[in-house]
Amino acid sequence: MEFGLLLVLGWVAGWLTTVAGLGGGVLLVLALSLQTSPAEALALSSPALLVGNLHRWAVGRRDVDRRVAAPFALGALPGSALGGLLVVAMPTWLLQVLLVLTSALALARALGWWMPRPPAAALVPAGAAIGAVAATTGSAGLAVGAFLQSAGLTGAAYVATAAATAVAMHLGRIAAYGLGGLVTGETALLSAALALAILAGNVTGGRVRERLPAAACSRIELGVLFVCVALALAGL
């Protein structure tokens, strides 16, 4: 993969997730899957996205709703580990189909056609289920967003809590990818470069978010999801 393209994709992913609350990770995985296999794209992006979410969590740590984040993460960690082990055994075509379906559902939700509202009491099992989806498609931002919004989180609390829960999901699936042999020395080096680009995107996105109204952030999210669906279809 071209190194310059990798850095650009990382910066865009960090910027988008910081501005819109989700979408950057989905876009990154889909773009990478056009250059390599979906499984390799997941393994390459996960460590870098972990670093990006750790940064967002650290910056917004005072805004994290721990009553939601802690039980959700308790389910997400083992759920994402199980999903990561499944990725190793999944055929490429099945991963590609899952990428298309989850991207399409994300777009449908953003357009108001499908608005899931899971009960806020189901934090641990929901975390486990969403963690498994995150490990197999990288598109769990949709479900995380719906769940956190159903728990009443908005604005800075929403972005910070989403970052905190994402950390748990990334840790679980990275461990599983490593056990499955998907994480190598080469992917680790590429992930490190990708992580630096994501951090730069986070910083830039944070400055932009301070100036943008909520409606503008929502429009950016919708545009990103249109692009995600197009990339997912291109991957087929």
Side-chain angles (χ1 to χ4, degrees), residues 179-194:
L179 289 174
L182 290 177
V183 178
T184 64
E186 181 182 358
T187 59
L189 288 174
L190 292 174
S191 291
L194 192 59

Side-chain angles (χ1 to χ4, degrees), residues 103-116 142 222 226 229:
S103 299
L105 288 175
L107 179 59
R109 178 184 175 276
L111 292 171
W113 299 341
W114 179 66
M115 297 295 289
L142 155 71
L222 181 59
F226 271 110
V229 173

Side-chain angles (χ1 to χ4, degrees), residues 2-214:
E2 185 179 343
F3 190 70
L5 175 61
L6 188 71
L7 295 180
V8 171
L9 290 174
W11 184 90
V12 171
W15 187 92
L16 284 174
T17 304
T18 303
V19 171
L22 59 86
V26 180
L27 184 64
L28 179 61
V29 171
L30 289 169
L32 291 175
S33 68
L34 296 179
Q35 304 291 321
T36 182
S37 73
E40 291 172 328
L42 287 166
L44 172 61
S45 61
S46 293
L49 291 172
L50 170 62
V51 172
N53 280 291
L54 280 169
H55 175 254
R56 274 188 293 275
W57 182 15
V59 171
R61 60 189 178 280
R62 295 179 181 175
D63 296 312
V64 174
D65 189 326
R66 292 171 175 78
R67 295 172 300 175
V68 174
F72 189 95
L74 185 63
L77 187 60
S80 59
L82 176 60
L85 292 174
L86 292 175
V87 163
V88 178
M90 278 186 182
T92 298
W93 69 265
L94 180 55
L95 282 173
Q96 290 172 327
V97 169
L98 289 174
L99 286 171
V100 171
L101 290 176
T102 52
S103 299
L105 288 175
L107 179 59
R109 178 184 175 276
L111 292 171
W113 299 341
W114 179 66
M115 297 295 289
R117 285 293 181 267
L123 286 167
V124 174
I130 293 172
V133 172
T136 55
T137 68
S139 302
L142 155 71
V144 171
F147 199 90
L148 296 183
Q149 288 167 9
S150 74
L153 300 184
T154 60
Y158 168 71
V159 173
T161 306
T165 57
V167 167
M169 290 189 286
H170 286 306
L171 286 173
R173 69 187 196 173
I174 289 170
Y177 296 157
L179 289 174
L182 290 177
V183 178
T184 64
E186 181 182 358
T187 59
L189 288 174
L190 292 174
S191 291
L194 192 59
L196 292 175
I198 289 175
L199 289 176
N202 284 357
V203 173
T204 309
R207 294 170 182 169
V208 172
R209 185 180 176 85
E210 293 174 355
R211 298 177 175 85
L212 285 179

